[in-house]
Structures are given as C-alpha cells and as structure tokens.
Amino acid sequence: WKLAPDLWPALTTPTRLSSFLAMKRKKLDGQVCEICGDEVGLTVDGDLFVACNECGFPVCRPCYEYERREGSQLCPQCKTRYPRLKGSARVEGDEDEEDIDDIEHEFNIEVEQNKHKHLEEAMLHGKMSYGGGPDHDNNAQFPPVIAGVRSQPVNGKFPISSYGHGEQMTHSSLHKRVHPDPISEPAGSESWDEKNEGGWKKRMDDWKLQQGNLGPDDINDPDTAVIDEARQPLSRKVPSAPSKINPYRMLIAVRLAVLTLLLRYRILNPVHDAIGLWLTSILCEIWFTISWILDQLPKWFPIDRETYLDRLSLRYEREGEPNMLSPVDIFVTTVDPMKEPPLVTANTALSILAMDYPVDKISCYVHDDGASMLTFESLSETAKFARKWVPFCKKFSIEPRAPEMYFTLKIDYLIDKVQPSFVKERRAMKREYEEFKVRINALVAKASIVPPEGWVMQDGTSWPGNNTKDRPGMIQVFLGHSGDLDAEGNELPHLVYVSREKRPGFQHHKKAGAMNALVRVSGVLTNAPFMLNLDCDHYINNSKAVREAMCFLMDPKIGAKVCYVQFPQRFDGIDSNDRYANRNTVFFDINMKGLDGIQGPVYVGTGCVFRRKALYGYDPPKGPKRPKMVSCDCCPCFGHRKKLPKYSEHGANGEAANLQGVDDDKELLKSQINFEKFGQSAIFATSTLMDQGGVPPSSSPAALLKEAIHVISCGYEDKTEWGTELGWIYGSITEDILTGFKMHCRGWRSIYCMPKRPAFKGSAPINLSDRLSQVLRWAHGSVEIFLSRHCPVWYGYKGGKLKWLQRIAYVHTTIYPFTSLPLVAYCTLPAICLLTDKFIMPPISTFASLFFIGLFISIFATTVLESRWSGVSIEEWWRNEQFSIIGGVSAHLFAVVLGLLKILGGVDTDFTVTSKAAHDEEFGDLYTFKWTALLIPPTTILIINLVGIVAGVTDATNNGNQAMGLLLGKLFFAFWVIAHLYPFLKGLMGRQNRTPTIVVIWSILLASIFSLLWVRIDPFVLKTKGPDTKQCGDNC
C-alpha cells in the first residue's frame, strides 16, 4: 500500500504491521470481482478473500475456483499461478506446491523478527504494479498496453506481460503482497482513486485496454456491461445435486457390501447333491458382479452442462464486424437408396442447409458409397428445393427444419408466429414440398428397374457408377458456386456430392473409409476447423445445435483440449411403450452423463462435432507451465522450493520468453512433421497446418477439385497412417468407439451436450428382427476391439493420458458381449432345476434370507435414486433391463461366436444396412416378423422354462406339500427369466397374437425334445435304490 509518511514510524514492528494488515482487509469488504462483477467476499476467517498474493487483483472465490479447475490457473493481471488457498480443492499442478501458504507465514514473528526487516520496509514502500516491479515511481516499468481494436476477435485470453529488455527483478518486488484498495486511506493520505497513475481505477481501465475491450475514449461506454458479459465463460458444469447423488453413492456401497456377503454365503454353502448346478451358478454370479462394478464405477461423478448462446454471439458476432464463428464441415453418409430412401437423406440435407449458422461457414458433404444415380439426381432436386426452403425457415424461425417432420407435426404451428403472411407462405411452401416429394418418388420408381445398358445421364453419357465395385471417384458441387442464391437473393451454403473411387483388390473399410475420404475432400475444398457427422436419417432438430457445440469448442479456457462434442441420440417413430428399448435412455441419460464427469463421453457414430486437428492424430495442447517458486537468500524456505530462473540480458524476460518459446516449439514441430503420413497431396498436407481452417487463396477451384478427386482414389491411403493413427480408425465395424478411444488415449477430452430441445433426431428399427441385427452389429464390433491390439485392457498406457475410470468404461464397452455366455447358462438353470428336482442353493435359514431381501431392496432403492438424478423413468429402466436379457441371450451370444471365428478362422461377416424406410401405417413395422437365427436361443430358453414350470408344479403336486417350499424358489427363478423375455414373446406373437409357422415348428420340435427328456427322468415314479427285502421279503 502507499502510506502517508507519518504512518511509517507506527508500523515499524511486525506485530503492528500484522494488525494493520488485518484492519485493512476488513475495510476491503464489498470490493467487486473484476471478472464476474460480484462482491469478492470474505474468507472463512472473516478476512477479505485475496486470490493472488502477488498483485492482489480482485477476484471472487467462484471465479478463482473456476480458473484453477477449468482455466489456465493464472492471475489475469500478473500471470502468477494461483496458489491453493484454505478450503480449496487440489487441482493438477498442486502436487509440487507447499502445503503452507506464503502469505500466512510471511510475517512469522518468531522466525523473521530480527532477520528480515528490509522485507517489511519493502512492503511499506511498495506500490501496486503489473507483476511487482521496482519500488520507485520514476523507475517503474509497466508492460506495454495493447490497445485492442474492435475489429479483432475477442479470444478471451489475457496477453502475457513482459519486462523491458535487460530489466532485472529484485527480491523485494518478488515478495510483495499488495492488494488494490478502492477505499480511502487513513487520515493524512489522499484517496486511492485520486492518486496519479497509481490509482486502482485507472489501473483497471489500463488492464481492460490490454484485452482489447476498451479504447481510450470508451471507459464510460454504456456498452461496457455487454462487453464484460461477452468475456464470461460460454458454458459451465452443473454437478448433480448432493441431495440426489450422495444417497445414491451410499446405496451403491451398501449394495456392493450386500453382494459381497451374499457371494460369501453362497460359496461357503455348497449344494453337494447338485455340485455342477451350484458351481455354474456361482461362476455366473461372480461374473455378473464384476460386470455390474465395471458398469457402475464410471457413473460415480455424473454432471450436466449449461451453455450460453447469447455470450457466444456477443463474443464472436459483433454488430458491424465480420462474423468470427468458426466454419463447420458437415458429413452425411449413405450407401443404399433402397434401404435409406432418398427422401430421408434429402430431409437431412435440407435441415443442414437451413440451420441457424452463417451460410458462408456451412459446407454439407453427402457421401454416396453406393454411387447410385438415384441419390445423385435426388440431391440435385434437393438443391433446387433448398433455394425456397432455406429462406422460409430463416424468415419464420421454423423448428425443426426438416420439411417432412415439420409438416407432419401434430402441434399448433401458429404458436409464436406474428407475421400476417406466415399462413399464406406456409401453405405455398407445403405445396412446393409435396411437389418435391412427387419428383423424388418418380425418381425412386424409375430406379426400381435397371436398364440393361446401365444408367445414362441427361447429357447422354454413361453413369460412372454403373459398376458399383469398379468405379471412379466423383464430386459434384450443387450449391456453393458464386452466384448461387436463394429465392430472396441471399447466399446459400455449400452442398457437395461425393462418391469415392472403388476398384477390385482394394480394401475400402466400409463406413470408416468413407468418413476418411470425406475428411480429405473437405480438407482440400473448404478445410473448416470443425466437422459434424450425421447418419443420413439423423436430421437437425435444433437449428442452434452447432452453436451449442461451439460454446465448448470455441471456449477460450476449455476449448483447446476438447476433441469432440457428442450429442445424445433421439428417435422418431418409436412406439410409446418402447418395447425393445430403442430410445436407449439408460445409456444416453445415465452412462454418458457419468463419463462426462471423467474424461468425456464415448463417440457413438453420429451427432458429433469434431475438432479436425484431433482427427489428424495431434496431441492436445499442453497447459501453461506454472511459474517456479522463488527462493531468496534472506528468508528460511518452508519445504522444497525451486530456484529463480536466470534472465538473460540478450533475451526477452518473464512469460514473454515462454511465449516465444511456445511459438518456436510450434515451428519446430511443424518442421518435424512427417507429411507422408497424410498421403501424396501437397495441398492437403498444407491444409493440416492451418489451425483456423481455410484454403490457400492462390488455389483455383478447378485445381482444388482435381486434388479432391485425387485424395479419394482407392490407392491414396497406401503407405499412410489413415485408419491407424489418422481419421476414423479401422479394425472394427464399430469404428466410432475405436476412434474416440484413440483420441482419449492421446489426452484429449470430450464433452456431452444435452440441450433442452434435442439437437438431432433419427429413426430406429422398431421390429424385433431388425433391432436384434443392429445390436448384433454393435456387439460384434466390441468383440473385435477386445480381441485386437486396441483392447483397452492393455492399450494406451504410454504417457498415462487415459484416466483410469475412463479406461474402465472402455473395458466394459468392449467386454459386455461376453456376459452372454454366463447369462445363457443362468437363464437355463431354472428349467434344469425344475426338471431334475435339484436346486442351486441349499435350504436357507432366516438369517441367510436377509441377504436376499437386502439385495432386492438395494436394487430397487438404487434404481429409484438413479432415476432421480438422471431423469430416466422406472419404466424406461425396466425396458432396458428386459432387452439387455433378450439381446444378451441372442445377439451378444452370436457376436462372441462370430468374433472368435474371425480371429481364429479368418471368417469375416458382412452386415447389411438397417432399413430406414418408414411404414405407411404408424408403428406398422413394429409387428413385422422377419425370421433370423438370432431368434432361436431366446425361443429355446422360453420353451424349456415353460416346460420346466409345468413339470415342477406337477411333480410337487404328486409328492405333496413337503416339496412346495423349495418349489417356490425354483418358480420365482423361472418367472424371473420369463418376465425379462416377455417383450420377445410378444414380438413372436405379432399383431393379432398369431404365432408364425416357423416359430410353431420350432416350438413343437423343442417341446418334443423336452418331452422325451421328461419321460427319461420319470418324476412320477418314486425314486428308490431298490426294494427293502428286510421289510417285505423277496416278493416285494
């Protein structure tokens, strides 16, 4: 502080100085945080909260905690790392810091009373400066003020201050503890704000000048509040309420304890007359317990997130200035227009072109892996209709912006509409869309009959994709040329058709190969720094979805380390009961929230916005190195301290030197990059160095298109790292899981974004056969990953960048199909017990029954509490439990077998695309029965349990009431299996409960087998070892 000279004699002792410091901190109550505008507040001891002990820049505790936890951990003013204060949680970087805070012991009377009086004098004569400079006004060196101009984008980062050339930092300046004080000084001194250049207010204005937010004439600008709002974080984490999550965690611990006691009881009490059944059940229960633990651990820290779209606009979309939002390339993939109707793909493309984002920053790439002329022509019609649809959506703020979904919504479409012309224009647009549908339907009808000579284009040339397995690469830009305007004369986004080259003898890697081709094509043509990938049936339901993602990816504090933002999948056209758990809400609303609290959600294949740099195999940027602790020769050091680095007279000092070093490291990194890993394309390799995207201005469109054709040739990936380290990773049909796993292993984190209005919506197979085929494909991919070199059990330990809870989540993601083996055995045990009159447990005592009662109560209680913090209903949880058993005994079992056949025998499985055609009747496809071998195992389990129930009841009736007690346990076991398979049973029955012929044949066959088994067992005959000749003689 600047003190009047007459106060110096009164403060010449450390005791009086300490008292004065306490008095000053109490007077500072009410000081305002310069980041959020709230009061700074007090500490738990009643003193003023001081975040930075070096410069005393006023920051409240919430902003201090946020900066330490999510930001750079540096003071905005002096760039000193924030110390860990009393009551603050430890964060990364605190491990090497001392447990004793310097400020609490700087005036230690016993230690320093006779040794360090010159430090006290330095404290008394010190003045506030940026980083603690020399003590005298005439020699004070302030960092140069960077007068920001309003046309520059606000990046939210604080410039690093530097000292003058050759300037030396003294010990006294390094140990100042100065706090800016806006209140009046004691009697005899002037007001703080009336001091010349040392006034706090002027210093704060100078600090804001550095950020580019204020000009010399804008200090009293009324827009300052708006600018300050733009500097706030674009998002925030919302941890689950302690009142909801803490009881849940306690019950999880209780449930684990009950499971441990129950398993101990089961192991210590074997069934000697049914040792095989008992051992099988014990092994199954141990596996189920391990699987439950693997599933439960990643859900320990669930969080929600909030985004602030208004702050995003204030920061990057200032009125009268160029829009600074980052461009986005959007990928849509399709392969078979007969299973993925062109109208569905067209609606997805239209929703992309009309979304709420600057049109010059949107590029939509539709990849047709089937090279179908039907898809090509339908996309041409889509481009024509978009010229009318896009301005209509933006004029009236239509939601959703997929016309098929908008015109079929059963809601009042006049809500919030005030323009008188809306009704008239909506009717005209609906007529336009119906005519568009008719044209698409005509193309589909035409494509149903393939001409013998193949398809011919309008100019008379043969369609290049007539031979789908031997075709050249094709690119057609439908929208994006100069002069492409909509009906109202506005610019339209890019719309590009892409079909990669395919030749016999080359491995094309299915969807992963198509996605990598899109990455390279977009890198050559538009090279946006971010990419959104969507399935052809997933339209944009929330026009601001990309803005939601940008709140994380463009956040100056956390964005640089975020590799992708994953949105939950939501679906249309699912029956209200969700018989086969198509919505998958347990995974998307529970598991993914838990992962977001660790290192981020897994990538699920669609609805994900990527950072292009992360897909190129780069590591995330390293956080700023915290300043080394300073030690002087005149004071005792508490604990381990690091020496002050030496400053060269011929180099830049302070953080400026560090910043220069970072730039040098980046240039060195670029010089060491092996561009051959990207392939033989100089233009594409150059684009990988452009962090902010864009294409070289000297390149002509014709040259770029020629290069784009080159990068999608089938031999381009030879001798490169595509599919191994770059782009989507090959080796599994679930390339999404593998790609996200590789990014997390490099140290990236991902974000889970759940806006109130679902970002994307798609279609899901709602009939039993298609649903099981879909689950089979997912499970087969997980088995492939588990049996590959990328298995999360042993992959990715180098560098230790994958958090252990995240690793557990990936282990469970790849190992869950193997649960089908014990599950099939466990679901068969009730029938065997009923048919053989054996049981897996001995008669239990009243005390032992408490274990089972406690288990069921804990299961019910954890389900209820999980529903509270996640929002998932009990009914949805039960549907998920049912289908986990149905899929476990069918699709997962087949996935394990197919995975082992591929690894051991080299037998590859070709999966077909799931049909996405909508049924004419609502939920009509729900009752469609398609025979598949996946139905055999659950059908068999159902029948043997039903036969077992009949046999068990008959046997108990024949033997009297003595066997009824044990029978109840067996019947409960069997009904547990049947209750979980009940949706499967309803699926077999169809709409009018008429069982298909094939199922009847299987039922008769299986019933005959178990009837013969029943006769062989013959339970109606009393089981004896032979006649007792002592009682009834030889003629007994």
Side-chain angles (χ1 to χ4, degrees):
W1 287 279
K2 280 185 84 171
L3 303 179
D6 56 347
L7 291 179
W8 296 350
L11 299 175
T12 53
T13 65
T15 304
R16 293 178 180 178
L17 178 59
S18 301
S19 301
F20 178 73
L21 290 173
M23 176 187 68
K24 292 298 295 179
R25 292 190 178 186
K26 291 181 180 179
K27 288 184 178 182
L28 287 172
D29 186 20
Q31 193 169 349
V32 176
C33 172
E34 283 301 318
I35 295 181
C36 68
D38 296 337
E39 288 191 2
V40 171
L42 304 177
T43 65
V44 293
D45 300 324
D47 297 330
L48 176 73
F49 177 77
V50 180
C52 179
N53 296 330
E54 295 293 335
C55 69
F57 181 70
V59 174
C60 64
R61 180 175 280 276
C63 293
Y64 160 82
E65 296 287 359
Y66 180 88
E67 182 66 25
R68 275 174 48 82
R69 187 176 64 253
E70 301 291 340
S72 62
Q73 303 183 1
L74 303 181
C75 172
Q77 179 167 275
C78 67
K79 297 301 176 184
T80 303
R81 186 181 186 276
Y82 278 137
R84 176 174 171 263
L85 302 181
K86 184 177 181 181
S88 298
R90 285 189 177 273
V91 297
E92 185 177 359
D94 285 341
E95 289 75 8
D96 298 332
E97 219 173 52
E98 299 180 359
D99 292 332
I100 304 176
D101 189 18
D102 291 345
I103 192 65
E104 297 179 4
H105 294 269
E106 183 146 320
F107 304 104
N108 192 315
I109 308 303
E110 291 82 5
V111 179
E112 302 182 5
Q113 186 172 8
N114 298 320
K115 296 182 180 180
H116 312 111
K117 289 185 179 181
H118 64 284
L119 289 178
E120 300 160 10
E121 295 175 359
M123 285 292 299
L124 294 176
H125 293 280
K127 289 185 178 181
M128 177 181 177
S129 65
Y130 292 85
D135 294 336
H136 303 290
D137 291 341
N138 297 334
N139 299 326
Q141 299 290 332
F142 294 96
V145 176
I146 304 174
V149 292
R150 301 298 292 268
S151 62
Q152 293 178 346
V154 180
N155 59 13
K157 295 184 179 180
F158 300 103
I160 299 176
S161 38
S162 60
Y163 294 90
H165 177 72
E167 180 187 350
Q168 298 296 323
M169 298 176 65
T170 63
H171 291 305
S172 62
S173 66
L174 288 168
H175 282 271
K176 285 188 194 176
R177 302 292 185 258
V178 187
H179 306 281
D181 189 357
I183 67 173
S184 300
E185 294 290 336
S189 65
E190 297 178 320
S191 172
W192 180 279
D193 288 333
E194 293 177 356
K195 298 282 184 176
N196 41 34
E197 75 278 3
W200 174 84
K201 189 175 186 302
K202 185 178 185 303
R203 297 185 188 280
M204 285 309 307
D205 292 335
D206 291 342
W207 174 73
K208 289 183 178 180
L209 280 172
Q210 286 184 293
Q211 315 313 315
N213 286 336
L214 289 176
D217 300 328
D218 294 337
I219 294 177
N220 298 319
D221 192 343
D223 294 337
T224 301
V226 177
I227 298 173
D228 289 342
E229 177 70 13
R231 293 187 53 77
Q232 298 300 311
L234 302 180
S235 64
R236 75 182 185 100
K237 289 195 296 186
V238 184
S240 298
S243 60
K244 295 181 179 180
I245 194 64
N246 288 339
Y248 172 73
R249 291 169 177 165
M250 292 174 60
L251 270 175
I252 291 299
V254 171
R255 182 173 171 180
L256 181 60
V258 172
L259 274 172
T260 304
L261 293 175
L262 181 60
L263 284 176
R264 178 180 179 276
Y265 169 80
R266 295 273 286 113
I267 294 173
L268 296 179
N269 294 272
V271 182
H272 297 287
D273 58 343
I275 196 68
L277 296 178
W278 170 82
L279 184 59
T280 301
S281 65
I282 288 294
L283 294 176
C284 292
E285 290 165 5
I286 292 175
W287 179 267
F288 295 152
T289 302
I290 295 174
S291 179
W292 175 78
I293 293 174
L294 292 178
D295 177 63
Q296 198 63 51
L297 283 177
K299 296 189 288 188
W300 200 253
F301 303 103
I303 63 170
D304 289 305
R305 293 184 185 270
E306 289 182 357
T307 56
Y308 304 103
L309 298 180
D310 52 344
R311 295 178 183 175
L312 180 74
S313 296
L314 288 172
R315 187 186 293 262
Y316 296 109
E317 295 181 292
R318 295 187 178 185
E319 186 176 356
E321 299 179 7
N323 192 299
M324 303 305 295
L325 286 175
S326 293
V328 181
D329 291 335
I330 304 172
F331 304 154
V332 179
T333 55
T334 181
V335 60
D336 187 351
M338 294 301 156
K339 292 186 177 181
E340 299 169 330
L343 189 62
V344 173
T345 305
N347 270 272
T348 300
L350 288 169
S351 69
I352 293 170
L353 298 175
M355 69 182 186
D356 184 6
Y357 208 74
V359 293
D360 60 326
K361 299 178 182 294
I362 303 173
S363 301
C364 177
Y365 294 84
V366 179
H367 186 277
D368 178 18
D369 216 25
S372 170
M373 188 173 175
L374 172 59
T375 303
F376 181 86
E377 291 182 334
S378 63
L379 209 59
S380 177
E381 291 291 340
T382 302
K384 298 176 183 177
F385 179 70
R387 290 181 167 88
K388 302 175 182 178
W389 174 250
V390 171
F392 172 75
C393 291
K394 296 190 174 182
K395 181 179 180 180
F396 298 108
S397 301
I398 299 301
E399 294 286 358
R401 299 189 177 180
E404 181 70 24
M405 287 65 195
Y406 172 69
F407 288 120
T408 56
L409 283 178
K410 297 179 180 179
I411 62 172
D412 184 4
Y413 60 83
L414 297 178
I415 295 178
D416 299 332
K417 299 298 182 290
V418 296
Q419 298 95 327
S421 61
F422 171 69
V423 175
K424 181 180 179 180
E425 294 192 34
R426 184 183 185 277
R427 290 173 181 171
M429 184 54 60
K430 186 174 183 180
R431 187 186 314 124
E432 293 282 354
Y433 177 64
E434 289 172 349
E435 294 176 358
F436 168 71
K437 287 179 66 175
V438 171
R439 293 194 296 270
I440 297 295
N441 291 338
L443 293 175
V444 174
K446 173 186 172 182
S448 60
I449 302 175
V450 181
E453 66 279 5
W455 298 108
V456 179
M457 294 187 290
Q458 293 181 357
D459 59 358
T461 59
S462 177
W463 172 246
N466 280 326
N467 187 347
T468 59
K469 296 183 179 180
D470 188 3
R471 64 172 194 258
M474 294 178 283
I475 296 177
Q476 175 66 46
V477 181
F478 286 110
L479 295 176
H481 301 288
S482 58
D484 275 341
L485 305 177
D486 60 24
E488 297 186 358
N490 300 317
E491 185 181 356
L492 283 167
H494 295 81
L495 178 61
V496 184
Y497 171 89
V498 180
S499 181
R500 57 178 171 153
E501 181 186 20
K502 284 191 175 181
R503 302 295 183 188
F506 286 90
Q507 180 62 259
H508 302 293
H509 302 290
K510 301 178 182 177
K511 182 181 177 181
M515 295 302 300
N516 285 336
L518 284 175
V519 172
R520 296 192 294 270
V521 167
S522 62
V524 171
L525 297 181
T526 51
N527 194 33
F530 302 107
M531 301 173 291
L532 164 65
N533 88 286
L534 294 172
D535 289 344
C536 66
D537 62 321
H538 274 69
Y539 64 92
I540 296 181
N541 183 66
N542 183 347
S543 62
K544 298 183 184 296
V546 173
R547 291 178 177 269
E548 297 274 356
M550 290 301 123
C551 286
F552 302 104
L553 293 167
M554 297 185 68
D555 190 291
K557 294 186 179 297
I558 66 171
K561 293 187 177 182
V562 176
C563 56
Y564 62 81
V565 176
Q566 177 67 61
F567 292 86
Q569 293 185 20
R570 303 298 187 217
F571 302 100
D572 289 323
I574 297 177
D575 61 300
S576 57
N577 293 326
D578 194 12
R579 179 186 295 177
Y580 305 123
N582 282 283
R583 292 190 178 92
N584 214 356
T585 51
V586 171
F587 173 75
F588 286 113
D589 293 2
I590 297 180
N591 295 69
M592 295 287 267
K593 283 184 180 180
L595 289 174
D596 199 18
I598 307 172
Q599 198 173 343
V602 297
Y603 167 45
V604 296
T606 184
C608 187
V609 182
F610 283 94
R611 183 180 299 276
R612 185 181 288 269
K613 181 179 178 181
L615 280 172
Y616 286 162
Y618 292 112
D619 292 335
K622 296 181 180 179
K625 295 181 180 179
R626 67 182 184 90
K628 297 180 179 180
M629 297 199 59
V630 182
S631 173
C632 62
D633 298 332
C634 55
C635 67
C637 297
F638 297 92
H640 176 70
R641 296 190 178 217
K642 298 180 181 179
K643 295 184 178 179
L644 179 68
K646 296 181 179 179
Y647 294 86
S648 171
E649 296 182 358
H650 302 285
N653 289 332
E655 283 93 350
N658 294 335
L659 182 61
Q660 181 66 33
V662 172
D663 294 336
D664 293 342
D665 290 342
K666 183 180 290 188
E667 294 299 325
L668 179 62
L669 177 64
K670 290 180 180 179
S671 65
Q672 294 177 347
I673 290 177
N674 177 20
F675 288 106
E676 293 182 357
K677 69 179 183 180
F678 294 107
Q680 300 299 318
S681 172
I683 293 179
F684 177 73
T686 303
S687 72
T688 62
L689 299 177
M690 301 178 180
D691 292 338
Q692 302 303 318
V695 296
S698 59
S699 302
S700 65
L704 292 179
L705 281 175
K706 182 179 179 181
E707 194 69 17
I709 290 291
H710 169 60
V711 298
I712 59 173
S713 60
C714 56
Y716 181 83
E717 294 183 356
D718 292 346
K719 298 181 181 180
T720 68
E721 295 183 3
W722 286 101
T724 56
E725 299 296 333
L726 308 180
W728 271 255
I729 306 302
Y730 304 149
S732 171
I733 57 174
T734 53
E735 70 289 329
D736 45 5
I737 298 293
L738 195 53
T739 302
F741 174 62
K742 293 275 285 189
M743 292 183 185
H744 284 139
C745 287
R746 295 190 189 104
W748 293 94
R749 78 149 294 133
S750 54
I751 298 290
Y752 195 51
C753 182
M754 296 182 65
K756 293 182 179 179
R757 180 178 180 86
F760 312 100
K761 281 191 174 182
S763 61
I766 62 173
N767 75 76
L768 180 59
S769 301
D770 286 347
R771 175 71 168 130
L772 289 177
S773 298
Q774 183 187 59
V775 173
L776 171 62
R777 185 168 64 250
W778 294 343
H780 182 55
S782 295
V783 173
E784 287 179 327
I785 297 174
F786 183 78
L787 299 177
S788 71
R789 73 181 186 91
H790 291 116
C791 177
V793 176
W794 52 73
Y795 183 84
Y797 285 98
K798 185 179 180 180
K801 297 178 180 179
L802 187 67
K803 296 183 178 180
W804 70 274
L805 280 179
Q806 192 79 13
R807 182 179 297 278
I808 288 176
Y810 274 111
V811 169
H812 183 256
T813 300
T814 57
I815 208 173
Y816 77 91
F818 293 93
T819 305
S820 60
L821 299 175
L823 188 60
V824 169
Y826 208 70
C827 290
T828 309
L829 285 178
I832 297 177
C833 291
L834 288 166
L835 292 173
T836 59
D837 198 23
K838 307 291 184 182
F839 199 40
I840 59 175
M841 288 185 296
I844 60 176
S845 63
T846 304
F847 176 75
S849 63
L850 295 178
F851 295 148
F852 295 92
I853 296 174
L855 177 61
F856 286 112
I857 292 177
S858 64
I859 291 175
F860 178 76
T862 52
T863 302
V864 172
L865 292 178
E866 194 171 70
S867 176
R868 283 187 61 202
W869 65 256
S870 66
V872 177
S873 66
I874 301 296
E875 182 182 6
E876 290 174 319
W877 174 85
W878 173 239
R879 292 299 183 200
N880 183 80
E881 287 295 306
Q882 287 180 313
F883 195 78
S884 65
I885 301 299
I886 296 172
V889 299
S890 56
H892 297 175
L893 180 64
F894 275 71
V896 173
V897 175
L898 293 175
L900 293 175
L901 287 176
K902 180 179 179 179
I903 297 299
L904 301 178
V907 179
D908 201 359
T909 305
D910 188 17
F911 290 92
T912 59
V913 177
T914 304
S915 176
K916 298 175 177 63
H919 201 279
D920 294 336
E921 183 183 357
E922 186 178 15
F923 309 136
D925 202 33
L926 177 65
Y927 306 100
T928 303
F929 184 86
K930 302 175 184 178
W931 173 253
T932 171
L934 295 174
L935 302 177
I936 296 177
T939 303
T940 304
I941 291 175
L942 262 176
I943 291 178
I944 63 173
N945 276 280
L946 291 173
V947 171
I949 290 174
V950 174
V953 172
T954 305
D955 190 32
T957 304
N958 182 59
N959 293 334
N961 295 330
Q962 296 180 352
M964 279 306 219
L966 196 57
L967 177 65
L968 291 178
K970 299 177 184 178
L971 291 178
F972 176 81
F973 200 5
F975 278 117
W976 176 87
V977 175
I978 295 174
H980 280 79
L981 295 178
Y982 178 69
F984 176 83
L985 182 60
K986 289 188 67 176
L988 291 181
M989 294 300 177
R991 178 185 293 275
Q992 282 121 17
N993 293 333
R994 291 183 300 181
T995 307
T997 304
I998 188 68
V999 178
V1000 173
I1001 295 175
W1002 264 100
S1003 301
I1004 294 174
L1005 178 62
L1006 293 174
S1008 301
I1009 294 174
F1010 283 99
S1011 295
L1012 295 174
L1013 180 63
W1014 176 259
V1015 172
R1016 177 68 182 86
I1017 296 174
D1018 198 7
F1020 296 103
V1021 178
L1022 184 64
K1023 300 178 178 64
T1024 60
K1025 296 181 180 179
D1028 190 353
T1029 57
K1030 292 183 179 180
Q1031 293 183 1
C1032 55
D1034 294 337
N1035 298 325
C1036 181

